[in-house]
């Protein structure tokens, strides 16, 4: 059996489009500011929610797959055969 010459082996994973961190809170605050004055006390609750969200920090993502590393490694071995 002969090896097939494939220059690059890649697997494209489908990524879900996630909203940036605190985008919902920021949008709500901007909407509140647009409907009333920036200094209005009615927007204080939304500003507090945004502040709390920003203080939480960025959550750790899931561990990335290493399948591309192994495909590249196996691709190099295919040239040696």
């Amino acid at each position: 059996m002969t090896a097939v010459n494939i220059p690059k082996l890649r697997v494209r994973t489908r990524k879900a489009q996630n909203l940036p961190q605190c985008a919902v809170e920021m949008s709500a605050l901007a909407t509140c500011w647009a409907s009333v004055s920036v200094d209005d006390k009615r927007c204080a609750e939304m500003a507090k929610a945004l502040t709390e969200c920003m203080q939480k920090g960025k959550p750790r993502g899931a561990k990335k797959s290493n399948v591309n590393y192994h495909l590249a490694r196996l691709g190099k071995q295919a040239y040696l055969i």
Side-chain angles (χ1 to χ4, degrees):
M1 185 178 262
T2 61
V4 178
N5 186 5
I6 300 174
K8 280 189 176 182
L9 300 172
R10 292 280 182 226
V11 175
R12 291 187 183 177
T13 57
R14 294 184 186 243
K15 295 182 181 179
Q17 292 184 355
N18 296 331
L19 291 175
Q21 180 184 6
C22 304
V24 175
E25 290 85 354
M26 192 178 303
S27 175
L29 183 60
T31 303
C32 183
W33 283 346
S35 63
V36 295
S37 162
V38 174
D39 296 327
D40 200 323
K41 297 198 188 279
R42 290 178 276 183
C43 298
E45 182 180 326
M46 291 172 209
K48 184 178 177 183
L50 178 62
T51 304
E52 290 173 358
C53 181
M54 296 296 278
Q55 288 176 349
K56 286 180 186 175
K58 187 174 183 179
R60 298 265 178 182
K63 186 176 179 180
K64 291 185 178 181
S65 173
N66 57 6
V67 70
N68 286 329
Y69 166 76
H70 291 294
L71 285 174
R73 189 173 57 89
L74 292 172
K76 288 179 186 176
Q77 288 179 355
Y79 291 121
L80 300 176
I81 295 176

